[in-house]
Amino acid sequence: SLFADAFSMGVSEYLSSRSTEERGRTILFGLTCFVSFVLFGSVPLLGYALMRTRSAEVALSVSLFAVMLVVVAVLRAFVAGTSVRSSLCEVGVLGACAGGIAYGVASIRL
C-alpha cells in the first residue's frame, strides 16, 4: 500500500508540474515525491514492526509520525525559504488531518 500510494503521489506530482516545467525536471519532481513518500511514510510503520502490544505499536507509530512531520516541515522551510514556524503549522495541520483520515479508514472493519 505504501508503494502504491507513493507511486500515485509521484505520478500526480509529475503530471501537475508537466505543464509548467521542462520534461527532465518533471520526472525529477515525480521521483523525488515517490522516494520522499516511501522514506517518510515507512518510518511510522516501524512502530508496528518493533512493538509487541497494540497500545505500544500505536503510541510509537504516532510519535514517529509526529517526528517525521517536523522533519518534513523543517526541510520544506529550508528548501522553500519560508519560516520554520509557518511551515510547521501548515505541514502539522495538513499532515495530522491526512494521518487521521488514513488511520480512520484503515481501522474500519467491513
Side-chain angles (χ1 to χ4, degrees):
S1 175
L2 179 66
F3 283 99
D5 290 343
F7 180 77
S8 174
M9 294 293 293
V11 168
S12 296
E13 177 60 37
Y14 167 76
L15 293 173
S16 69
S17 63
R18 190 173 67 180
S19 61
T20 59
E21 298 288 335
E22 299 173 15
R23 181 171 172 82
R25 286 181 56 106
T26 61
I27 292 170
L28 179 63
F29 288 165
L31 286 173
T32 301
C33 185
F34 173 82
V35 170
S36 298
F37 194 95
V38 171
L39 175 69
F40 292 107
S42 63
V43 171
L45 297 177
L46 291 174
Y48 295 99
L50 299 175
M51 296 293 132
R52 299 281 187 227
T53 65
R54 177 78 173 147
S55 61
E57 289 174 345
V58 172
L60 182 57
S61 181
V62 168
S63 299
L64 291 172
F65 176 70
V67 169
M68 287 298 97
L69 286 179
V70 171
V71 170
V72 168
V74 170
L75 289 173
R76 181 177 181 272
F78 175 75
V79 170
T82 59
S83 78
V84 173
R85 183 179 177 160
S86 68
S87 187
L88 281 170
C89 290
E90 187 175 45
V91 171
V93 168
L94 295 174
C97 288
I101 291 169
Y103 184 81
V105 168
S107 66
I108 294 174
R109 308 244 187 242
L110 298 176

